[in-house]
Amino acid sequence: MAELVMVHGIGPQDETEQRLHEDWTRALARALRENGRAESADRLDGGSVSVGMAYYRHLFAPYAPRDDYDVPLSAPMAITGEEIAKDIIENIRDHASNPSDTAQAAHALDELDAELGPVQGPYAPLRLMVSMLGRLGPIARSGFAALSSTGVFHLGQVAAYLHDETVREQAIEAVLSQVTPGTKAVVAHSLGTVVAYEALHRLEQPLPLLLTFGSPLGLRSIIRGQLRPQPLSSPSHVKRWVNVADRDDYIVATLRLRTLLPDNDAVLERTRLVKNRNSRPHSAVEYLKHWQTVEPLAELL
């Protein structure tokens, strides 16, 4: 149904399909225009290029906390949320550009090991981890977990996708319903890269390009453990896969996603590194401002 299919990631409930569609399209058109592709930008702005947003944010409404003390997740989802939070802290320790951020994350991991033992209640560890996340440099600067309820909801979206089969299937269908033989590219961000990965493994026709950015694909204890299919591999009908990352993007599992695929998998290229604004390292719009991100799309548009 669309030449260009966009797949959003985690985020607030008030980010509607229309708002996401407009923000992403505007950022993409601006990047094209600023890099000498005015004709392609005009076609995008004028609607000559059909663009679809595979929207599934509404599926997470049952998991939205009512306040900072509410954790409307099942026990398995809460455990998954804890593991994701720990993976995020490890991401900061392993590849943040600021040495003080890496040291702060390493200290937080030591602190977690000391504090989690006596914590009481099935959801207390998750609340503790969300509180700790909010104090870490890249996350505090972005406001990702400024409120406990916000942090729980964002982690809960990933956990709900992995544990709630209805959410998972409907999110995958949101992608596949947009993709036709005329689709030139699927552009995915954050959790959307996981949804797109699983959806495109079901695709039955060629797709010229998969573009991912801010991807948690490869999170050691979560995504790689529950991703379908296993092990990580390029979807068979995708002709080219470009991945983009900011080393200060706390959701990014690895800066070397290519190394997680089989040696004979030549579809996924070496990850392209960009630098987003310090206050928005995980923002989809920030990623779409970079020519390194947009260039593969420019070739198709």
Side-chain angles (χ1 to χ4, degrees), residues 102-149:
T102 62
Q104 190 180 30
H107 177 73
L109 289 169
D110 291 340
E111 190 177 344
L112 277 175
D113 290 339
E115 291 192 26
L116 282 180
V119 169
Q120 300 297 316
Y123 301 104
L126 178 59
R127 286 196 289 265
L128 171 64
M129 286 188 168
V130 167
S131 175
M132 189 166 289
L133 282 172
R135 301 199 302 268
L136 296 180
I139 299 176
R141 290 192 293 269
S142 71
F144 173 84
L147 300 172
S148 294
S149 57

Side-chain angles (χ1 to χ4, degrees), residues 114-238:
E115 291 192 26
L116 282 180
V119 169
Q120 300 297 316
Y123 301 104
L126 178 59
R127 286 196 289 265
L128 171 64
M129 286 188 168
V130 167
S131 175
M132 189 166 289
L133 282 172
R135 301 199 302 268
L136 296 180
I139 299 176
R141 290 192 293 269
S142 71
F144 173 84
L147 300 172
S148 294
S149 57
T150 301
V152 168
F153 184 46
H154 285 171
L155 295 177
Q157 289 175 46
V158 183
Y161 177 81
L162 294 172
H163 287 276
D164 187 327
E165 286 298 320
T166 299
V167 168
R168 193 174 201 150
E169 289 301 317
Q170 290 185 11
I172 288 172
E173 178 55 29
V175 176
L176 293 178
S177 66
Q178 297 276 355
V179 179
T180 70
T183 299
K184 297 178 180 178
V186 169
V187 180
H189 172 242
S190 188
L191 176 60
T193 69
V194 179
V195 182
Y197 172 88
E198 295 196 336
L200 295 180
H201 269 283
R202 302 183 186 183
L203 198 64
E204 296 181 353
Q205 71 265 359
L207 177 71
L209 175 67
L210 169 61
L211 174 62
T212 56
F213 42 91
S215 176
L217 281 166
L219 281 179
R220 183 179 61 253
S221 60
I222 307 300
I223 304 302
R224 287 177 64 191
Q226 302 187 54
L227 196 65
R228 301 171 186 168
Q230 292 275 359
L232 190 66
S233 64
S234 295
S236 59
H237 289 288
V238 172

Side-chain angles (χ1 to χ4, degrees), residues 17-38:
E17 178 178 358
Q18 180 178 355
R19 177 180 168 186
L20 286 164
H21 184 287
E22 291 175 352
D23 288 349
W24 285 35
T25 303
R26 186 183 304 113
L28 175 55
R30 180 177 179 179
L32 288 168
R33 187 166 284 110
E34 290 178 346
N35 288 278
R37 301 299 179 96

